[in-house]
Amino acid sequence: MDSLHGAAVSAEGFGLKGPRGWVFRGVGLTAPPGSLVAVEGPSGSGRTCLLLALTGRMRPTEGHAEVGGARLPGRAAAVRAFSALGPVPGVSELDPAFTVAEHLRERALLRRRFDGSPRSLLRPGAARAASRAAIDTALDTVGLDLAALPKAERTSVRDLERLEALRLSLALALMGRPRLLAVDDTDLKLSGPERAEAWRLLRGLADDGTTVLAVCGEAPEGALTVRTEDRRERTDATGTTDAPDTSDAEDAPATPDAPDTSTAEAAPDATDTPATTGTTGTTATEDTPGAPATTTTGSTTNGKETADALTRTGRA
C-alpha cells in the first residue's frame, strides 16, 4: 500500500500526572520515520496513556515530544491530523454488533464527510468509487480476506477471531493513509503463532514507511522498545518510590477525547537517525548493532489510576 512518509517521533522528559500520581514520567526516545516502536510494560503501567499522548490525544504534564515535526503539547491537533488509532480499548474499539461491512462503510462515509473536498459532494459516484478503492487497498494491506470470513462481509465483529479483529481495526485506520499508526494491546489474547503474525503485519507496515507505535506485554525482536514499569517495581534516583499526589483528586473529570481519524500531509521530518536518548527518570541502554534499542520509564499508577488520568486530562 502506498504510504505517506512516516513521522519521526522523539521525546524528552515526557510525563503525565493524574489525580493519583504519575501515570508515566521521564520518557525519552528517538525513532526515525518508518520505525516499529514497541511500548512494553505490564497492564496499568501507563502504556496506553503514553500511546495517546504521543498521538496528540492526551496532554502531557511535563517535558515535550516532537512527532512528524509538530511539537507536543502545543501542536496536538496537527499530530492528530496525520496519525490514526488502531484498536484502543475505550477509545477506538470495534462495535461487536456491527458487521465488517458496516464498519468499513461507516469509516468511508466519515472520511468522505470530513476529509473529502467540497467538489466530491457534487460527484457522489466518483466519491463512492474512491471509497471502494480505499477499502480494497486497506484490506489487501492487512491481509483480511472477506470471502474467508464465516459470513463474508456480513460477519459480525463478535464472530471474528482476535487476529481477524486486529486486521479489521488496522484496515479502518489505514484508510486515512496515516503517517503514524498507534495500536494498543497488540499481543493480548493471541497464541504464539498469532502473535508472530501480528508483529509481521506491523513490521510490514513500518517497512512500507508508516511509523508504528504498538503497546505490548513483550516486545518483539528488532523493535525499538520503550519500557514502562509499575510503581512497585521501580524506585527513583533517591532510592524511594514516587509518592502519589492526590491533592487534586476531587476535581471534576473531563470528558476524554474521541479519536481523530483525519489525515494531512506535514513537512518532511528532520530526524532520520535511529537512536535512543536518556532523560531524567529514564534509563537508556545502547545495544549491540542490529539489536533493538531500549528506553525505560517509570509509572506510579495501577490500572484504575491510568483510567482516572485518561478521564481527567481531556482534550490536548
Side-chain angles (χ1 to χ4, degrees), residues 86-123:
V88 178
V91 181
S92 57
E93 291 176 301
L94 298 173
D95 189 324
F98 273 28
T99 65
V100 173
E102 287 170 338
H103 268 294
L104 292 169
R105 190 178 304 117
E106 178 189 54
R107 183 59 57 91
L109 289 172
L110 287 172
R111 297 208 59 79
R112 284 165 54 187
R113 170 64 179 83
F114 295 105
D115 300 324
S117 67
R119 289 185 178 182
S120 66
L121 300 177
L122 303 177
R123 297 183 297 174

Side-chain angles (χ1 to χ4, degrees), residues 53-150:
L54 287 174
T55 54
R57 271 78 177 179
M58 295 185 74
R59 186 179 184 86
T61 306
E62 70 176 12
H64 66 272
E66 188 168 301
V67 182
R71 191 177 176 90
L72 294 172
R75 299 188 60 200
V79 175
R80 290 196 298 270
F82 59 73
S83 64
L85 299 182
V88 178
V91 181
S92 57
E93 291 176 301
L94 298 173
D95 189 324
F98 273 28
T99 65
V100 173
E102 287 170 338
H103 268 294
L104 292 169
R105 190 178 304 117
E106 178 189 54
R107 183 59 57 91
L109 289 172
L110 287 172
R111 297 208 59 79
R112 284 165 54 187
R113 170 64 179 83
F114 295 105
D115 300 324
S117 67
R119 289 185 178 182
S120 66
L121 300 177
L122 303 177
R123 297 183 297 174
R128 282 194 295 270
S131 294
R132 184 70 253 178
I135 290 173
D136 291 342
T137 302
L139 291 175
D140 183 63
T141 300
V142 301
L144 182 59
D145 183 3
L146 299 186
L149 299 179

Side-chain angles (χ1 to χ4, degrees), residues 197-254:
E197 178 59 29
W199 285 117
R200 276 195 296 270
L201 172 57
L202 295 180
R203 168 59 70 187
L205 296 177
D207 289 343
D208 284 344
T210 302
T211 303
V212 178
L213 301 177
V215 164
C216 59
E218 183 178 353
E221 204 173 313
L224 192 158
T225 304
V226 179
R227 294 190 176 95
T228 59
E229 296 180 355
D230 187 80
R231 177 179 56 190
R232 291 166 295 184
E233 301 174 354
R234 172 186 170 271
T235 59
D236 60 20
T238 64
T240 59
T241 56
D242 292 335
D245 182 350
T246 58
S247 60
D248 54 357
E250 300 301 319
D251 292 347

Side-chain angles (χ1 to χ4, degrees), residues 2 13 18 25 56 58 74 78 85-86 98 106 185 241 256 263 279 286 306:
D2 291 335
R25 192 179 193 186
M58 295 185 74
L85 299 182
F98 273 28
E106 178 189 54
D185 289 337
T241 56
T263 61
T279 60
E286 185 174 336
T306 302

